[in-house]
Amino acid sequence: MSDVKIEISELRKSFGELEVLSGVDQRIEAGEVVCVIGPSGSGKSTFLRCVNLLEQPTSGRIVVDGVELTDPDADIDAARTRIGMVFQQFNLFSHLSVLRNLTVAQRKVLGRDRVKAEETARENLRRVGLAAKENATPAQLSGGQQQRVGIARSLSMDPDVMLFDEPTSALDPELVGDVLDVMRGLADEGMTMLVVTHEMQFAREVADRVLFMDGGAIVEQGRPADVIGNPQRERTRHFLARVLNPTHAVSAVESDSDHG
Amino acid sequence: MAVQTRPATSGMSKRQRAKIGRGVQYAVLLAVVVVAALLADWGRLQDQLFNLEVARALFPTVLTTALLNTVLYTASGFALGLGLALVLALMRMSSVAPYRWISGAYIEFFRGLPALLVFLSVGIGIPTAFNNVSFNRNVTVMIALGIVGSAYMAETIRAGIKAVPNGQLEAARSLGMSHGRATVTVVIPQAFRIILPPLTNELILLTKDSSLTFVLGATLAQQELTQFGRAAMTTYPGMTPILVVGLCYLVITIPLSVLQQRLERRFGPDGR
């Protein structure tokens, strides 16, 4: 086996009485692209947010790059510099220009000098096709552009792993493609990626592995052609039928999961 | 003029009635102005309130001493108050409980006291209680105004910090910033943009509160606008000094409002 980037064992998370994750195990190897699908409330976003400890797990073990993050003595800030995170709502720093969004953490966390930080920032803006926008403020950008800046901001820290929390869910449909193209490019370059998404087409084409989550657990996982193309579990079939055919034009739950 | 698009039905249309209503309101306003103008004793008013000779006699001291002192007292008090308020706001949100208690008690205490009492306590209470402690008068003024302003501004700043979306903090943390670093670099700058209007409010309030320095006593060179105006009224007949001094306050506060609007526009409609 090649080297393991993320290793999660017996991950549990409760909010008060409500158990959101009920024992999740997962190993993600270097360069793997893993897409997490599932109905809302299935715990998939919480799962992703536990990986960089934005949510503190109730119990379980999370190891990224050989560092156990769930160890109370772990330097979580240092670990997070190697784990990029892209948010559904972009969360660009609204008081800073695009360029400064990309340089601020490089300078204040990694201690890079201005020249080096801006060089890295411009390189990553080019990578997401927004080199011309470095002086814009986030409010001047479309949602799709903001999300690409969000990706470039994470990439500027030179992460080993990228987490995507429904990166296209807040976008107008015509803007989704540009963001997915950037993510596809990253996958091709060999970035290790964990992506919570509703974009089944993207999961099919780009993912090495798809996890279907429901009720706080991984119900089914495997190659996308299997999980999405030929789901074995009833819950997976039911979910895919609703996602791929939301208007119920054809009666649900057959091998109709091949969308149009 | 207005074209009737509909055949007139019985009575007046809604638009006609609104038109008449507006006409009545203008008529009432006009009547009040005319009556006031007729009843006023213009000769005496000019003599007592708009006496140009008296006004001329007040210049330039009203600007070079009184206005300048008001600005200096306010600026120093505001600077101290803002710094204190920021510390208090952060303390009030601290995970260390005693910090929250201290900050909460301070805010409740000084927010509830009249500014005059604070001035008396700082100016007279402290030197009395601690025999050897006596501040320079300017420092006393700064401390008193700073305390008065800080209690209000602490709550304003806390509200601003809470208004910054949590996603901003999460994004900063996910890039490896510590909680403190993220607060300083990302949250506080955005909070200040949100609270610019109430902060300007507080600065204007402090400008007026600086008139309370009279309780500390003042030499001629230490007089601020209000005290200067009152002193001038004992020298000159009539109320003209009060009018002049009042206009001087507006000379300070109106530019502040304009500056606030400029800054708000510059920072733009904050895109979230």
Side-chain angles (χ1 to χ4, degrees):
Chain A
M1 289 289 252
S2 57
D3 70 314
V4 178
K5 277 280 175 198
I6 305 175
E7 186 161 18
I8 294 158
S9 37
E10 268 303 296
L11 176 64
R12 290 174 186 277
K13 173 69 184 176
S14 301
F15 294 104
E17 292 286 286
L18 182 71
E19 186 169 62
V20 180
L21 295 176
S22 47
V24 175
D25 296 283
Q26 192 56 222
R27 276 162 68 101
I28 296 170
E29 286 166 17
E32 228 187 341
V33 176
V34 177
C35 284
V36 186
I37 61 172
S40 65
S42 60
K44 55 193 192 303
S45 276
T46 306
F47 168 61
L48 189 84
R49 289 163 58 84
C50 278
V51 175
N52 70 349
L53 253 61
L54 276 187
E55 298 292 353
Q56 185 70 42
T58 307
S59 68
R61 227 173 91 93
I62 296 166
V63 179
V64 178
D65 261 338
V67 178
E68 189 193 333
L69 303 187
T70 37
D71 177 351
D73 294 328
D75 184 349
I76 184 64
D77 293 333
R80 280 181 180 144
T81 63
R82 296 187 297 273
I83 309 173
M85 175 119 183
V86 174
F87 298 87
Q88 182 177 354
Q89 298 296 340
F90 330 134
N91 295 351
L92 296 184
F93 303 134
S94 57
H95 63 305
L96 299 178
S97 70
V98 165
L99 188 69
R100 292 217 40 216
N101 260 277
L102 270 63
T103 56
V104 65
Q106 289 188 67
R107 298 193 58 193
K108 309 233 162 174
V109 178
L110 300 180
R112 288 178 182 165
D113 64 41
R114 209 180 105 165
V115 175
K116 165 73 176 155
E118 290 188 348
E119 191 183 304
T120 310
R122 293 201 172 97
E123 183 190 311
N124 283 302
L125 280 177
R126 265 197 301 281
R127 211 160 154 188
V128 301
L130 291 172
K133 297 287 186 187
E134 66 172 59
N135 291 319
T137 61
Q140 292 166 332
L141 302 179
S142 73
Q145 290 171 331
Q146 287 192 51
Q147 192 58 294
R148 281 143 67 198
V149 171
I151 295 172
R153 177 174 68 179
S154 291
L155 291 176
S156 296
M157 302 296 282
D158 296 325
D160 291 333
V161 174
M162 288 283 285
L163 310 175
F164 295 83
D165 188 6
E166 303 199 26
T168 58
S169 297
L171 297 179
D172 289 337
E174 78 271 21
L175 303 176
V176 168
D178 290 339
V179 172
L180 292 182
D181 283 345
V182 168
M183 291 169 61
R184 199 172 276 128
L186 269 181
D188 290 344
E189 289 167 31
M191 177 63 78
T192 311
M193 293 163 63
L194 184 57
V195 186
V196 172
T197 187
H198 292 289
E199 299 290 336
M200 293 304 147
Q201 182 68 27
F202 175 81
R204 251 172 193 249
E205 288 172 12
V206 180
D208 297 306
R209 205 144 50 84
V210 170
L211 315 180
F212 172 71
M213 284 186 74
D214 195 16
I218 296 173
V219 174
E220 184 166 354
Q221 61 174 304
R223 293 185 306 131
D226 296 334
V227 177
I228 300 176
N230 183 23
Q232 299 302 304
R233 306 289 293 267
E234 178 59 35
R235 278 195 279 177
T236 318
R237 278 203 290 272
H238 186 68
F239 168 74
L240 286 168
R242 281 189 307 164
V243 169
L244 300 175
N245 189 10
T247 52
H248 301 282
V250 183
S251 69
V253 198
E254 282 142 19
S255 62
D256 175 50
S257 44
D258 210 279
H259 54 87
Chain B
M1 285 308 291
V3 180
Q4 203 79 22
T5 52
R6 235 177 1 162
T9 50
S10 65
M12 287 181 287
S13 75
K14 208 172 170 185
R15 208 192 314 170
Q16 276 171 316
R17 256 177 297 162
K19 215 170 175 181
I20 290 172
R22 265 199 306 278
V24 169
Q25 291 177 49
Y26 277 116
V28 169
L29 179 66
L30 189 67
V32 169
V33 171
V34 167
V35 168
L38 288 177
L39 291 180
D41 182 343
W42 287 103
R44 223 178 96 186
L45 252 182
Q46 190 181 0
D47 186 45
Q48 294 284 306
L49 203 52
F50 303 105
N51 193 322
L52 279 178
E53 264 167 59
V54 173
R56 223 171 279 139
L58 298 178
F59 284 92
T61 331
V62 66
L63 297 181
T64 54
T65 303
L67 182 89
L68 186 69
N69 278 337
T70 293
V71 169
L72 284 180
Y73 296 159
T74 307
S76 65
F78 184 74
L80 177 70
L82 193 62
L84 255 159
L86 185 57
V87 173
L88 286 165
L90 292 174
M91 278 172 73
R92 196 145 200 205
M93 292 185 295
S94 164
S95 54
V96 182
Y99 281 175
R100 291 199 301 273
W101 303 333
I102 293 169
S103 165
Y106 177 99
I107 290 167
E108 288 308 331
F109 187 75
F110 285 109
R111 199 166 55 168
L113 288 184
L116 187 63
L117 283 193
V118 176
F119 268 87
L120 287 171
S121 325
V122 175
I124 300 164
I126 291 181
T128 311
F130 307 96
N131 244 332
N132 293 320
V133 180
S134 71
F135 300 119
N136 165 317
R137 184 174 181 279
N138 283 343
V139 175
T140 308
V141 170
M142 179 173 81
I143 292 175
L145 275 178
I147 287 176
V148 169
S150 65
Y152 292 100
M153 286 192 282
E155 287 294 89
T156 305
I157 292 174
R158 190 167 68 98
I161 288 176
K162 293 218 151 171
V164 175
N166 199 38
Q168 295 284 317
L169 182 64
E170 287 191 345
R173 295 304 307 274
S174 77
L175 289 165
M177 291 188 202
S178 67
H179 194 282
R181 163 61 70 196
T183 303
V184 170
T185 311
V186 173
V187 177
I188 289 179
Q190 293 191 32
F192 269 95
R193 197 169 59 172
I194 294 170
I195 62 173
L196 197 58
L199 227 45
T200 310
N201 230 357
E202 185 56 37
L203 181 53
I204 288 172
L205 285 172
L206 275 189
T207 307
K208 295 181 291 180
D209 280 345
S210 69
S211 64
L212 295 170
T213 50
F214 80 88
V215 300
L216 302 174
T219 65
L220 283 179
Q222 291 170 334
Q223 285 179 342
E224 46 64 57
L225 280 170
T226 299
Q227 200 175 5
F228 178 86
R230 282 166 38 160
M233 274 174 65
T234 62
T235 315
Y236 303 101
M239 310 236 309
T240 308
I242 289 296
L243 182 79
V244 171
V245 162
L247 288 175
C248 284
Y249 275 108
L250 296 183
V251 165
I252 300 173
T253 56
I254 290 174
L256 284 178
S257 305
V258 173
L259 179 69
Q260 174 206 331
Q261 284 163 15
R262 282 269 173 82
L263 285 173
E264 271 184 73
R265 217 172 306 141
R266 208 193 109 185
F267 290 139
D270 52 346
R272 290 276 152 74

